[in-house]
């Protein structure tokens, strides 16, 4: 009985790995296909945790700057005060 449970667990884990790998491949394709993106995030799931954390901090800071700039542009375009 326990051997069957081990085999089933192994099959489930392999399927989960395939699903995750396929999702990563699809996301990598999206990143690569966009001209404005940086490709340095492709394969980041294989990096050390510290490297992933550093990249996340960098991306969040950049997103914050981009959102702030977009809000300022929108305020200028609509004549609103920020």
């Amino acid at each position: 009985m326990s051997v069957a449970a081990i085999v089933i667990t192994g099959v489930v884990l392999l399927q989960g790995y395939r699903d995750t790998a396929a999702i990563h491949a699809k996301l990598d394709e999206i990143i690569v296909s966009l001209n404005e993106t940086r490709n340095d995030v492709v394969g980041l799931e294989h990096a050390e945790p510290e490297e992933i954390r550093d990249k996340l901090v960098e991306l969040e800071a950049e997103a914050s700057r981009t959102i702030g700039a977009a809000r300022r542009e929108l305020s200028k375009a609509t004549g609103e005060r920020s």
Side-chain angles (χ1 to χ4, degrees):
M1 187 70 150
S2 64
V3 172
I6 292 171
V7 170
I8 291 171
T9 301
V11 169
V12 169
L13 289 175
L14 283 175
Q15 184 59 43
Y17 169 77
R18 288 185 194 134
D19 291 346
T20 301
I23 289 169
H24 282 288
K26 291 173 184 180
L27 290 172
D28 289 349
E29 174 62 23
I30 291 169
I31 292 168
V32 169
S33 69
L34 297 173
N35 291 332
E36 297 178 12
T37 61
R38 294 176 310 274
N39 295 332
D40 57 342
V41 295
V42 173
L44 193 60
E45 67 274 9
H46 302 293
E48 294 297 320
E50 298 79 23
E51 185 180 347
I52 295 170
R53 190 171 31 255
D54 292 346
K55 185 50 117 175
L56 182 58
V57 168
E58 177 185 327
L59 292 171
E60 287 175 345
E62 184 175 335
S64 179
R65 288 190 302 273
T66 302
I67 290 169
R71 285 183 180 153
R72 286 188 296 279
E73 288 296 318
L74 181 60
S75 293
K76 275 199 289 189
T78 59
E80 295 178 8
R81 294 181 140 182
S82 48

